[in-house]
Amino acid sequence: MKRIGFNKPYLTGKENEYIYQAVLSGKISGDGSFTKRCHQFFESRYGFKKCLLTTSCTDALEMAALLIDIKPGDEVIMPSYTFVSTSNAFVLRGAKIIFCDSRKDHPGIDEDLIEPLITNRTKAIVPVHYAGVACDMDKIMALADKYNLYVIEDAAQAIDSYYTGKNGVKRPLGSIGHLAAFSFHETKNIMSGEGGMIVINDDRFIHRAEIIREKGTNRSQFFRGEVDKYGWVDIGSSFLPSDIIAAFLFAQLENLDDIQQKRKAIWEAYYEGLKPLQEKGILQLPVIPPYATNNSHMFYVVCKDLEQRTEIINLLKKSNTDSVFHYLSLHKSPYYTAQYQGKDLPECDRYTDCLLRLPMYYELAIEDIENICTTIKSYYS
Ligand SMILES: *Cc1c(COP(=O)(O)O)cnc(C)c1O
């Protein structure tokens, strides 16, 4: 029986050639020619004001926490249904995390529950565009304006996805908050094994971002010939990737449209295949709100309860197919639960117990998807 894993990193075929070119160029540390080409690609395709590759999305989030000067006791609002890095980045600077529940129709943060969580210690809101589907950014940016807060988009899963605001303007995710963080981990649409990027949409942060990323030095300015020597000017760390990583990433970027088209066809095949179950009220399928686009990062279903989800996982396993659940709510994690003082987050708990992700990768055949859908339907018949 054919084995179908949950994820399989897709190689476009040019990765080795570009890595070889990077090696031959003699400059394989950070900010070499492939890094610059990646920056230019993102800035021109998405109109991001300033992009800087990082070694991971985790690093990009840590840079964001440094840039907005998080101090012990500052509060940061984010969903509990997210990856640990979303909160760790701020916890490392001493922040108190204020967890918010998810929406009923989507695992993303419930925008209508944010305002009551804001206090005079709140410094930032970190929306996570779960599955690459936009949060309602008009609502979040309006709160940020009203209370003078920063917004950092965790756009780890959100490459090539868009949000259309009330004004009718369609903007790429990652271009709306003051800062945004993307991931190029091998489980994401576009990847370099490990990798990430910080996007800076607010001019005030550009200069300092370059410094923080280069160990707290003004080396970037030195390389541009703007200063005649460089030194220690601020706090910072080493957040920039080798140009070898950027070479790999650039090969992926050149094929972004092809990759996205393929993933969309896979997503649609799942949706069509499982729609009858949603129509009967048996399963909840992903909801794409009218203001959002779908970048087909993930295909998930929401089961009725934990027991059904476990049984479906086991049934798929019998046909050699991997399916996996996702986050365990951070407010109930071993690290955080003892210090959590907030309310119950029932939607978040529901996604923790009931959300199931199905295999999603470039090389997945439509026929495989049909078989997976048939197996799931057989469970309910
Ligand atoms: C993948 C992911 C991250 C972490 O990305 P890395 O590049 O592995 O550090 C952070 N947040 C979310 C929502 C993610 O999906």
Side-chain angles (χ1 to χ4, degrees), residues 45 49 82 148 153 157 170 199 220 234 244 271 313 343 351 354:
R45 182 174 173 117
K49 200 165 272 174
T82 185
N148 198 21
E153 297 175 72
Q157 306 173 8
K170 186 172 170 181
V199 172
S220 302
D234 200 340
I244 294 174
Y271 197 89
I313 291 176
K343 286 194 208 152
Y351 293 114
C354 305

Side-chain angles (χ1 to χ4, degrees), residues 55-59 61 82-83 85-86 128 154 156-157 182-185 187-188 194-196 297 326-327:
T55 47
S56 63
C57 178
T58 303
D59 268 0
L61 289 162
T82 185
F83 190 58
S85 296
T86 319
V128 179
D154 182 337
Q157 306 173 8
F182 284 90
S183 174
F184 306 119
H185 183 262
T187 51
K188 308 300 202 270
E194 304 280 350
H297 170 61
H326 210 183
Y327 304 125

Side-chain angles (χ1 to χ4, degrees), residues 222-280:
F222 174 70
F223 282 137
R224 285 196 298 263
E226 293 165 16
V227 291
D228 56 12
K229 57 180 184 298
Y230 76 87
W232 187 16
V233 295
D234 200 340
I235 58 170
S237 190
S238 187
F239 291 117
L240 71 174
S242 155
D243 214 47
I244 294 174
I245 299 285
F248 188 110
L249 183 65
F250 191 67
Q252 298 259 315
L253 291 177
E254 283 186 329
N255 289 275
L256 190 142
D257 289 321
D258 173 50
I259 292 170
Q260 289 301 95
Q261 213 174 1
K262 192 70 198 284
R263 293 183 76 105
K264 275 178 190 150
I266 292 169
W267 198 99
E268 292 297 336
Y270 272 126
Y271 197 89
E272 282 310 307
L274 296 173
K275 211 162 63 180
L277 295 178
Q278 166 155 278
E279 283 158 1
K280 287 184 203 146

Side-chain angles (χ1 to χ4, degrees), residues 5 30 48 63 78 97 100 127 162 164 233 243 284 289 292 301-302 320 347 370:
F48 295 146
M63 277 187 69
M78 65 180 65
I97 307 300
C100 185
Y162 292 80
T164 304
V233 295
D243 214 47
Q284 183 186 335
V301 297
V302 186
N320 245 351
E347 291 306 320
E370 286 164 1

